[in-house]
């Protein structure tokens, strides 16, 4: 057990050095001592970033659900695995033990099998944050099917694109979902998508809201009667360490989302090891990550990482503002949560409200606080530290990505001294590099550059589903032999990293990763629009909000333009989801372009941020006169 739980800074540095000098020995020891393998690997790792090709634990056999479920039964069978807290505080929380979870996963797996789902098949899961979401994820993994969870806030068109991209034949959904005071018609959204998804043969429907739904004969089945009939044992499918475990979509620089493919062996080892250390999980602890399982944070740090450690993981169905702004703190007090992991946007939103919402509750159980998803500003960090952590719980500012599978840069609580706004040091085995524009590594401290990773880590994505070339082009072509993250970062005098934000055309809004291209595509489909450009601008709660510059085919009346703004946002909500709506829309006569026709987003960003005193050199523009006109009408 020696290396598994890091006790002090000296040990961290020692292990870090070992993980860099002898990565194979280091990871082999971790993998060997803490996980259940059906067959040992032939080789710990192999890599070639020029292709890119990366394998971990090649030749090994396992099933991740044996690690997350079966092996715990003898020692902690009655311990709560999933603690489900419903949207409505009046509804009772559910404590699902490891024994029960094991049975429910097996039942669900048997239902999938009886519907013809086989190893390697893709299954789309479009569910709210209810236990069946975690159960169906694990059921897929049990039988070797590849799950593709789509966040249940995505629109029917976005869902259809994701179903078709990886050719899912089976979709799991629910009749509806509760979000605060609202009830959403999920099944209706699925029905809408399936008009464009001819390959889907089976829809399994969980009963959550009891709302009326249409069931298509032969295609749609309520899951409950099928589960009742199913056996509660299901032999795990024995998988290769490199077999795909899941696909998760993230937005990119074209309209088409990227299906990041994660494999099972390395992903399991890295998410479990990071979970244990970055949240300092101890056997009796109650751990709560407020993310949705529709994002990578939920995959790695609600489901797989915690369960691989035999942890109790809270699943919360609701929202931070319902029934009031004290909901998070009420849940922390009620379940005596020890580790609390959330996003800066939630912290900023709650920090604006009265402190009474916090002070009403006993938060003394908290030992570790975490944040993820976007840079955390100093003010929010201090509020979190003072009011939630009471200046005694370390904050782990965890930097990572859908593509990295697990946390890459983060303090280890009670080990790494924290500094507000700094994600601090790379986790064991992670080798960051800062690069300049010419492609050279910037060595030394007090420097800033583009953040790359120069050596593979076990949970990195292996490819983009169906498009390996795009995987190479997006992440491995900018800097030779490096994985490029798309983020900028600085390294301070003591070697701590601070993530400064995206340096590509992705904008992080309320912690959600949004590509500008898919939003622009959605706007441009409006019949009145000829062209558009989206940029981010600073927003006190969301971190960034979206500003759209739109060229109309015809100028039209002012009254019509107000309507058009609504229609444009409606169009975006239909194509992507409400999270991608624009805060500001400005109709412009033209967009600043270079002579080669590229939109100069740098200028638009400054206009959106109301910072036009120094626009830099605009003389090289094809149409410099348009800049003045845009500034004149800026909002
Ligand atoms: C992007 C990845 C990984 C879970 C959620 C987001 C930004 C993430 C931090 C942080 C500053 C952060 C980066 C990154 N980001 N965590 N602690 N500090 N920025 O996953 O949707 O794949 O987005 O989120 O820009 O590249 P994702």
């Amino acid at each position: 057990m020696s290396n598994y739980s890091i006790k002090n800074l000296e040990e961290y540095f020692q292990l870090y050095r070992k993980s860099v000098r002898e990565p194979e020995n280091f990871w082999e020891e971790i993998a060997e001592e803490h996980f259940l393998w059906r067959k040992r690997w032939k080789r710990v790792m192999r890599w070639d970033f020029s292709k890119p090709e990366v394998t971990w634990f090649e030749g090994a056999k396992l099933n991740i659900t044996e690690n997350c479920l079966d092996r715990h039964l003898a020692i902690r069978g009655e311990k709560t695995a999933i603690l489900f807290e419903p949207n409505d505080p009046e509804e009772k929380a559910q404590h699902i033990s490891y024994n029960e979870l094991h049975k429910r996963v097996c039942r669900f797996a048997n239902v999938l099998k009886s519907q013809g789902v086989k190893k390697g098949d893709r299954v789309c899961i479009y569910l709210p944050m209810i236990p069946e979401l975690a159960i169906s994820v694990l059921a897929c993994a049990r039988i070797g099917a590849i799950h593709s969870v789509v966040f249940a806030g995505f629109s029917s068109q976005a869902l259809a694109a994701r179903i078709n991209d990886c050719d899912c034949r089976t979709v799991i959904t629910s009749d509806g979902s509760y979000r605060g005071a609202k009830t959403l018609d999920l099944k209706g959204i699925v029905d809408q998508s399936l008009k464009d998804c001819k390959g889907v043969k089976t829809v399994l429907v969980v009963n959550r809201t009891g709302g009326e739904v249409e069931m298509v004969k032969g295609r749609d089945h309520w899951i409950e009667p099928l589960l009742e009939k199913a056996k509660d044992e299901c032999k795990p499918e024995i998988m290769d360490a490199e077999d795909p475990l899941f696909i998760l979509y993230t937005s990119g620089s074209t309209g088409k989302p990227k299906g990041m493919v994660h494999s099972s062996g390395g992903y399991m080892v890295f998410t479990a090891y990071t979970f244990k250390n970055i949240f300092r999980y101890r056997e009796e602890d109650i751990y709560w990550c407020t993310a949705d399982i529709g994002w990578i944070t939920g995959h790695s740090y609600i489901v797989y990482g915690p369960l691989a450690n035999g942890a109790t993981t809270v699943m919360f169905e609701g929202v931070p503002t319902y029934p009031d702004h004290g909901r998070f703190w009420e849940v922390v007090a009620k379940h005596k949560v020890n580790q609390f992991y959330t996003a800066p946007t939630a912290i900023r939103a709650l920090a604006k409200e009265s402190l009474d919402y916090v002070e009403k509750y006993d938060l003394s159980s908290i030992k570790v606080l975490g944040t993820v998803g976007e840079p955390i500003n100093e003010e929010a960090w201090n509020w979190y530290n003072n009011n939630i952590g009471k200046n005694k719980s370390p904050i782990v500012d965890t930097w990572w990505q859908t593509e990295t599978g697990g946390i890459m840069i983060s303090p280890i609580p009670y080990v790494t001294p924290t500094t507000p706004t700094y994600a601090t040091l790379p986790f064991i085995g992670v080798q960051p590099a800062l690069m300049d524009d010419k492609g050279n590594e910037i060595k030394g401290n007090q420097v800033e550059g583009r953040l790359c990773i120069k050596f593979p880590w076990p949970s990195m994505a292996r490819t983009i589903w169906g498009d390996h070339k795009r995987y190479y082009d997006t992440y491995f072509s900018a800097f030779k032999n490096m994985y490029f993250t798309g983020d900028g970062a600085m390294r301070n005098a003591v070697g701590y990293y601070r993530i400064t934000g995206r340096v590509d055309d992705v904008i992080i809004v309320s912690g959600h990763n949004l590509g500008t291209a898919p939003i622009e595509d959605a706007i441009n489909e409006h019949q009145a629009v000829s062209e558009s450009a989206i940029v981010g601008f600073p927003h006190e709660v969301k971190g960034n909000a979206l500003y759209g510059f739109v060229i109309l085919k015809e100028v039209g009346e002012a009254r019509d333009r107000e309507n058009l703004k609504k229609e444009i946002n409606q169009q975006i909500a239909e194509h992507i989801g409400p999270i991608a709506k624009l805060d500001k829309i400005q109709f412009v006569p033209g967009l600043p372009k270079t002579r080669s026709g590229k939109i100069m987003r740098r200028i638009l960003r400054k206009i959106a941020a109301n910072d036009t005193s120094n626009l830099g050199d605009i003389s090289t523009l094809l149409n410099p006169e348009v800049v003045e006109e845009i500034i004149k009408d800026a909002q």
Side-chain angles (χ1 to χ4, degrees):
M1 284 281 166
S2 56
N3 290 344
Y4 198 60
S5 122
I6 302 157
K7 283 175 285 301
N8 53 50
L9 204 56
E10 197 188 322
E11 194 177 82
Y12 159 80
F13 281 119
Q14 206 183 333
L15 288 176
Y16 185 78
R17 275 195 298 269
K18 180 166 175 181
S19 76
V20 171
R21 287 185 193 147
E22 322 162 41
E24 302 206 29
N25 290 339
F26 175 81
W27 287 110
E28 180 158 69
E29 279 169 32
I30 298 284
E32 209 158 44
E33 283 177 37
H34 305 285
F35 301 91
L36 191 69
W37 304 87
R38 288 298 190 101
K39 194 175 153 215
R40 214 187 134 80
W41 44 92
K42 292 201 181 75
R43 196 168 171 165
V44 177
M45 60 123 21
R46 214 148 52 84
W47 69 296
D48 179 352
F49 276 180
S50 73
K51 287 198 165 62
E53 196 180 283
V54 173
T55 66
W56 282 89
F57 310 111
E58 208 177 344
K61 303 265 188 199
L62 76 153
N63 184 292
I64 195 167
T65 71
E66 279 198 298
N67 284 274
C68 290
L69 301 169
D70 304 62
R71 68 167 167 153
H72 302 311
L73 301 185
I75 38 176
R76 46 176 87 88
E78 285 309 306
K79 176 176 174 177
T80 300
I82 292 178
L83 203 175
F84 172 61
E85 174 64 31
N87 176 61
D88 180 354
E90 302 295 319
E91 191 183 323
K92 254 185 88 183
Q94 291 175 32
H95 294 253
I96 303 171
S97 69
Y98 273 92
N99 282 329
E100 187 189 342
L101 184 61
H102 178 257
K103 288 200 175 113
R104 289 176 68 176
V105 168
C106 286
R107 280 218 172 92
F108 210 115
N110 284 325
V111 169
L112 291 176
K113 274 186 170 173
S114 72
Q115 295 295 324
V117 180
K118 293 191 190 58
K119 175 178 175 176
D121 289 352
R122 276 78 57 210
V123 174
C124 175
I125 304 176
Y126 187 72
L127 279 174
M129 280 289 284
I130 54 177
E132 286 78 4
L133 173 50
I135 291 168
S136 58
V137 159
L138 293 164
C140 287
R142 188 76 172 175
I143 64 170
I146 302 169
H147 55 78
S148 166
V149 181
V150 177
F151 171 60
F154 274 118
S155 70
S156 62
Q157 289 184 35
L159 173 61
R162 285 156 179 76
I163 290 173
N164 287 331
D165 183 72
C166 64
D167 192 18
C168 295
R169 307 280 159 90
T170 309
V171 176
I172 303 169
T173 189
S174 63
D175 47 2
S177 75
Y178 296 124
R179 292 206 38 92
K182 284 189 257 172
T183 307
L184 307 179
D185 173 21
L186 287 198
K187 176 65 166 60
I189 295 174
V190 170
D191 289 341
Q192 188 63 32
S193 328
L194 294 194
K195 290 183 184 158
D196 299 321
C197 305
K198 295 296 167 233
V200 172
K201 300 288 179 264
T202 310
V203 179
L204 298 171
V205 187
V206 177
N207 176 353
R208 175 58 183 141
T209 55
E212 225 167 89
V213 298
E214 248 177 71
M215 298 293 276
V216 175
K217 218 171 166 244
R219 187 194 76 181
D220 302 353
H221 310 273
W222 290 104
I223 189 98
E224 286 80 10
L226 300 175
L227 288 170
E228 259 165 49
K229 277 188 278 171
K231 282 207 309 242
D232 60 14
E233 263 184 51
C234 173
K235 270 217 184 95
E237 186 76 35
I238 302 307
M239 308 296 286
D240 284 337
E242 280 296 319
D243 278 340
L245 173 65
F246 65 84
I247 300 168
L248 188 61
Y249 286 87
T250 186
S251 42
S253 56
T254 72
K256 205 167 158 334
K258 297 175 288 194
M260 305 311 307
V261 179
H262 282 282
S263 59
S264 71
Y267 176 80
M268 169 181 77
V269 170
F270 195 76
T271 54
Y273 186 48
T274 46
F275 173 76
K276 172 76 186 164
N277 285 291
I278 292 168
F279 299 103
R280 200 176 202 258
Y281 188 80
R282 300 290 183 261
E283 186 66 39
E284 303 304 320
D285 290 347
I286 310 287
Y287 161 87
W288 180 19
C289 164
T290 68
D292 192 291
I293 294 175
W295 312 115
I296 190 71
T297 308
H299 281 60
S300 302
Y301 299 109
I302 296 177
V303 182
Y304 289 114
L307 297 179
N309 282 283
T312 298
T313 175
V314 175
M315 258 185 94
F316 176 50
E317 185 186 29
V319 295
T321 50
Y322 178 82
D324 62 38
H325 294 97
R327 182 67 162 134
F328 273 1
W329 322 125
E330 186 237 334
V331 176
V332 166
K334 175 168 159 194
H335 297 303
K336 301 194 168 44
V337 169
N338 302 111
Q339 292 90 1
F340 179 76
Y341 189 28
T342 196
T345 184
I347 298 168
R348 287 191 297 262
L350 297 177
K352 281 180 53 173
E353 304 298 326
S354 158
L355 266 183
D356 295 349
Y357 287 118
V358 178
E359 284 161 1
K360 250 167 81 181
Y361 300 103
D362 174 8
L363 305 182
S364 62
S365 55
I366 287 179
K367 297 193 284 193
V368 176
L369 293 173
T371 87
V372 62
E374 59 188 305
I376 181 164
N377 50 311
E378 189 150 1
E379 207 183 339
W381 197 99
N382 287 330
W383 185 88
Y384 200 33
N385 185 40
N386 295 337
N387 299 298
I388 309 304
K390 319 283 182 197
N391 290 303
K392 66 174 180 52
S393 301
I395 296 176
V396 292
D397 176 355
T398 64
W399 174 84
W400 57 298
Q401 309 178 294
T402 306
E403 296 85 340
T404 70
I407 297 169
M408 302 289 280
I409 304 182
S410 169
I412 295 172
Y414 301 97
V415 170
T416 319
T418 59
T419 302
T421 76
Y422 281 81
T424 75
L425 298 173
F427 190 71
I428 315 286
V430 175
Q431 299 187 35
L434 296 180
M435 307 297 290
D436 68 18
D437 290 343
K438 297 192 187 70
N440 301 312
E441 184 171 352
I442 311 167
K443 305 261 185 173
N445 287 342
Q446 283 184 305
V447 293
E448 187 168 351
R450 283 156 196 253
L451 179 62
C452 290
I453 314 289
K454 54 182 168 185
F455 193 82
W457 61 101
S459 67
M460 65 189 289
R462 302 297 194 256
T463 189
I464 290 174
W465 183 265
D467 199 348
H468 195 67
K469 181 171 180 300
R470 188 174 181 198
Y471 185 55
Y472 171 81
D473 290 344
T474 312
Y475 303 103
F476 297 89
S477 66
F479 301 98
K480 198 165 184 276
N481 277 322
M482 300 258 176
Y483 165 82
F484 175 45
T485 64
D487 283 317
M490 54 170 285
R491 193 164 49 222
N492 76 2
V494 296
Y496 278 11
Y497 287 87
R498 173 188 190 160
I499 313 302
T500 49
R502 301 291 309 193
V503 292
D504 57 5
D505 41 19
V506 168
I507 305 169
I508 314 265
V509 178
S510 299
H512 299 307
N513 201 330
L514 299 172
T516 51
I519 303 174
E520 289 162 5
D521 288 354
I523 299 173
N524 297 348
E525 270 191 32
H526 192 291
Q527 52 177 18
V529 172
S530 80
E531 202 183 350
S532 62
I534 302 299
V535 297
F537 69 97
H539 185 280
E540 68 170 325
V541 173
K542 301 180 185 184
N544 295 296
L546 299 176
Y547 193 127
F549 297 89
V550 177
I551 308 178
L552 295 175
K553 286 181 184 152
E554 286 164 37
V555 177
E557 303 273 318
R559 176 171 40 87
D560 297 337
R561 274 181 261 150
E562 280 315 302
N563 258 338
L564 263 179
K565 288 185 183 177
K566 287 199 190 102
E567 284 175 24
I568 285 172
N569 264 332
Q570 185 55 28
Q571 183 105 354
I572 294 171
E574 280 165 22
H575 275 71
I576 301 160
I579 49 177
K581 282 190 187 175
L582 310 181
D583 270 39
K584 292 184 181 173
I585 299 177
Q586 182 182 350
F587 296 117
V588 294
L591 292 166
K593 288 191 177 165
T594 62
R595 288 185 191 274
S596 59
K598 227 177 138 214
I599 298 171
M600 285 281 262
R601 287 172 197 277
R602 180 174 61 77
I603 293 172
L604 296 177
R605 257 182 240 124
K606 289 211 157 187
I607 297 174
N610 197 14
D611 167 25
T612 49
S613 54
N614 178 16
L615 287 179
D617 183 13
I618 59 168
S619 65
T620 57
L621 288 178
L622 193 62
N623 49 354
E625 71 290 346
V626 89
V627 175
E628 269 313 306
E629 290 193 54
I630 299 178
I631 293 174
K632 198 165 59 108
D633 291 336
Q635 301 180 8

